């Protein structure tokens, strides 16, 4: 394998001779992602600090080697480049696979007006690969209820419509309804799902919820209750049409590290409720076009590349807004080279170019000053135009019947692994 620079954000620097007068710690929650600030200068997200703070484990070479050995598949680029970098009990899932025991995948999306951006694609691209590798069910929760609770300007009917549009986008990644159940909380809530929500809600005190999410006295009760709804799909009995009444089937949850507070709480309540603890695998954030101090955001158009952007829009956004690791003059470039570690076009390619050798060669040439920032941007534009153009073709082919099939809990879904205990 080529020697690829690790895609890990640079932590707060310890600069010789610098007296730190003012430091603001980084803030990573399900609703806010901001790097630390030192003397007024924003820093990149420190993922080592998050591992320490959240009590997770880094996905190391030993884990990657075991993954390859157990599955017979080389790790996905998002794994081998450290983009999915942290986990909780991933080894337990590999144990089950070795033993022929079932598990399922669970991920989710808060639907919103307009299309997803390329950062939203990461857990779904990874889930598609995991599903192909393990041949297991995938459930996808669309939290239109949460969107309604947190966005007072939206009507419930609007957020449900956002869910229907989001199903089309997820389907266009290549999922099949016979292996994948995509559900809107507003549409699916009831029966076994609601029963589990009730059990969970009786197991979580206000003190626990406040400790996990920082709720205040001004937060309405809908926000405080919502974690019970996001927790429930982590338990197999929430989906009787797929798993029957079995409570002994755990799930693996690929998600951004900012979602970990939900699932720490999930793991806390699992044992008292006699459910299996979920395993998690956490991703880094796709940085905003402006740099690695925050993640790409749907609410800031100039920070993001969206899945409905035209080729020309992609080109203009990269050329105008993408932070460059290159110097300001050609003379400085030839003398000092450029820094791919902070260069956003290069970083984006590490997420979407599978060819390890190309990624390694780009980094080496950039550091040596052999390619300019304009040339790096040009290659990034080509990669994203191709990725998004192919997606848009597939999305146009998704029909209303496809959407209904994905959202139908009773659509035929059969998995040989579920016959095993």
């Amino acid at each position: 394998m080529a020697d690829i620079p690790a895609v890990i954000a640079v932590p707060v620097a310890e600069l010789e001779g610098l007296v730190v007068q003012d430091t603001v710690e980084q803030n990573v929650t399900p609703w806010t992602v901001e790097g630390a600030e030192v003397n007024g200068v924003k820093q990149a997200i420190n993922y080592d600090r998050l591992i320490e703070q959240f009590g997770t484990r880094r996905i190391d070479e030993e884990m990657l080697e075991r993954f390859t050995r157990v599955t017979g598949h080389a790790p996905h680029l998002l794994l081998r480049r450290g983009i999915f970098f942290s986990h909780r009990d991933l080894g337990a899932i590999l144990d089950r696979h070795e033993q022929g025991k079932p598990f399922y995948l669970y991920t989710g999306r808060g639907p919103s007006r307009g299309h997803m951006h390329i950062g939203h694609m990461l857990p779904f691209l990874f889930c598609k690969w995991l599903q192909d590798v393990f041949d297991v069910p995938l459930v996808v929760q669309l939290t239109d209820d949460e969107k309604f609770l947190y966005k007072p300007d939206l009507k419930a009917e609007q957020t449900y419509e956002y869910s229907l549009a989001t199903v089309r986008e997820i389907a266009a990644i290549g999922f099949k309804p016979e292996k994948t159940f995509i559900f809107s909380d507003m549409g699916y809530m009831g029966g076994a799902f609601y029963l589990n929500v009730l059990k969970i809600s009786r197991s979580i005190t206000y003190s626990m919820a406040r400790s996990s999410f920082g709720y205040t006295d001004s937060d309405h009760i809908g926000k405080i209750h919502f974690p019970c709804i996001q927790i429930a799909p982590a338990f197999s009995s929430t989906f009787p049409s797929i798993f029957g009444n079995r409570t002994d089937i755990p799930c693996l949850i690929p998600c951004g590290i900012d979602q970990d507070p939900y699932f720490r709480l999930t793991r806390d309540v699992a044992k008292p409720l006699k459910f299996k603890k979920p395993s998690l695998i956490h991703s880094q954030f796709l940085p905003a076009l402006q740099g690695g101090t925050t993640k790409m955001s749907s609410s800031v158009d100039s920070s993001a590349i969206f899945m409905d952007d035209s080729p020309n829009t992609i080109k203009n956004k990269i050329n105008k807004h993408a932070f460059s690791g290159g110097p300001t003059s050609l003379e400085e470039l030839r003398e000092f080279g450029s820094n791919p570690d902070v260069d956003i076009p290069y970083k984006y390619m590490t997420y979407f170019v599978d060819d390890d050798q190309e990624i390694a060669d780009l980094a080496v040439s950039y550091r040596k000053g052999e390619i300019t920032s304009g040339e790096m941007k040009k290659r990034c534009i080509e990669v994203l135009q191709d990725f998004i153009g192919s997606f848009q073709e597939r999305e146009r082919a998704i029909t209303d019947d496809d959407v209904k099939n994905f959202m139908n809990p009773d659509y035929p879904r059969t998995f040989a692994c579920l016959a095993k205990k």
Side-chain angles (χ1 to χ4, degrees):
M1 182 183 297
D3 185 16
I4 302 172
V7 187
I8 299 174
V10 179
V12 176
E14 296 180 1
L15 300 176
E16 185 177 355
L18 174 65
V19 177
V20 177
Q21 298 174 338
D22 185 24
T23 300
V24 178
E25 291 295 323
Q26 68 182 12
N27 184 24
V28 175
T29 74
W31 309 283
T32 302
V33 174
E34 295 176 336
E37 187 174 306
V38 178
N39 291 340
V41 178
K42 281 286 190 180
Q43 308 294 313
I45 302 298
N46 185 338
Y47 291 100
D48 290 331
R49 175 74 183 102
L50 288 178
I51 287 175
E52 178 185 340
Q53 178 183 347
F54 290 174
T56 66
R57 299 187 65 181
R58 181 171 291 282
I59 297 174
D60 56 18
E61 283 300 320
E62 183 179 351
M63 179 61 75
L64 293 179
E65 289 170 5
R66 186 178 179 215
F67 188 99
T68 301
R69 187 170 64 252
V70 169
T71 66
H73 292 264
H76 190 276
L77 71 89
L78 295 176
L79 266 180
R80 66 180 185 262
R81 293 181 189 160
I83 295 165
F84 274 88
F85 71 105
S86 163
H87 74 98
R88 294 186 187 275
D89 285 343
L90 178 58
I93 291 296
L94 296 178
D95 290 343
R96 291 187 71 87
H97 184 67
E98 279 187 309
Q99 297 159 7
K101 294 181 178 180
F103 69 93
Y104 66 102
L105 299 169
Y106 162 36
T107 196
R109 163 87 180 116
S112 59
R113 181 172 50 247
H115 275 64
M116 292 191 278
H117 58 59
I118 56 174
H120 294 139
M121 290 284 107
L122 300 182
F124 295 111
L125 293 170
F126 191 51
C127 276
K128 178 64 173 68
W129 181 79
L130 289 171
Q131 189 180 58
D132 291 343
V133 167
F134 291 109
D135 190 26
V136 293
L138 166 66
V139 298
V140 181
Q141 180 183 46
L142 302 179
T143 55
D144 40 17
D145 51 347
E146 180 193 32
K147 186 69 65 172
F148 172 71
L149 292 170
Y150 277 81
K151 299 290 184 180
D153 58 322
L154 293 177
K155 296 179 180 179
E157 294 79 8
Q158 288 176 287
T159 62
Y160 181 72
E161 288 298 319
Y162 296 166
S163 283
L164 298 182
T166 300
V167 175
R168 292 180 177 275
E169 292 185 83
I170 296 171
I173 292 169
F175 294 107
K176 302 298 180 186
E178 55 267 26
K179 291 189 175 186
T180 306
F181 176 41
I182 308 174
F183 62 97
S184 144
D185 284 345
M186 289 183 177
Y188 183 59
M189 179 71 74
F193 187 0
Y194 187 57
L195 178 60
N196 277 347
V197 168
L198 287 176
K199 292 178 180 178
I200 294 161
S201 65
R202 202 167 73 173
S203 302
I204 299 173
T205 66
Y206 176 64
S207 176
M208 293 167 66
R210 184 177 56 194
S211 175
S212 294
F213 301 104
Y215 296 130
T216 67
D217 290 343
S218 63
D219 284 315
H220 60 69
I221 199 167
K223 290 183 179 180
I224 297 163
H225 181 257
F226 175 75
C228 303
I229 299 170
Q230 185 159 326
I231 287 170
F235 303 137
S236 58
S237 58
T238 297
F239 307 102
S241 61
I242 302 175
F243 305 111
N245 62 0
R246 292 183 65 173
T247 61
D248 64 332
I249 303 176
C251 68
L252 172 63
I253 306 173
C255 62
I257 187 71
D258 58 329
Q259 297 298 302
D260 189 70
Y262 283 108
F263 301 115
R264 290 201 301 271
L265 199 54
T266 305
R267 288 165 59 86
D268 287 343
V269 303
K271 186 174 181 180
L273 292 174
K274 299 183 172 152
F275 293 136
K276 290 285 190 179
K277 283 186 179 182
S279 297
L280 284 90
I281 183 166
H282 306 108
S283 73
Q284 297 183 8
F285 308 112
L286 189 78
L289 282 162
Q290 289 74 18
T293 63
T294 189
K295 67 177 181 177
M296 193 172 281
S297 171
S298 293
S299 60
V300 183
D301 184 76
S302 63
S303 79
I305 304 291
F306 292 93
M307 297 307 294
D308 63 341
D309 279 347
S310 69
N312 196 51
T313 298
I314 296 167
K315 178 180 178 180
N316 289 338
K317 283 184 175 180
I318 294 294
N319 282 331
K320 184 176 181 180
H321 299 297
F323 184 83
S324 172
T328 56
S329 71
L330 192 60
E331 291 75 16
E332 289 178 315
L333 172 70
R334 300 310 180 203
E335 183 176 357
F336 303 112
S338 300
N339 183 4
D341 297 334
V342 299
D343 190 88
I344 289 299
Y346 173 78
K347 278 187 174 290
Y348 285 176
M349 284 190 283
T350 66
Y351 287 73
F352 295 101
V353 174
D354 190 60
D355 187 334
D356 290 342
Q357 191 62 57
E358 179 180 358
I359 292 298
D361 289 347
L362 282 170
V364 170
S365 297
Y366 205 46
R367 290 185 195 280
K368 290 181 176 180
E370 294 173 351
I371 60 175
T372 66
S373 60
E375 290 168 328
M376 186 70 82
K377 287 182 176 182
K378 181 175 183 294
R379 179 61 183 133
C380 177
I381 290 165
E382 294 169 349
V383 167
L384 294 180
Q385 286 175 337
D386 180 65
F387 173 73
I388 292 173
S390 298
F391 168 86
Q392 290 172 354
E393 284 186 24
R394 295 192 302 271
E395 187 186 18
R396 285 191 290 269
I398 303 298
T399 66
D400 290 344
D401 283 342
D402 291 329
V403 172
K404 290 176 183 177
N405 290 339
F406 276 106
M407 300 186 77
N408 181 0
D410 297 316
Y411 190 86
R413 297 180 176 95
T414 304
F415 293 88
C417 66
L418 296 182
K420 302 173 184 177
K421 296 292 185 181

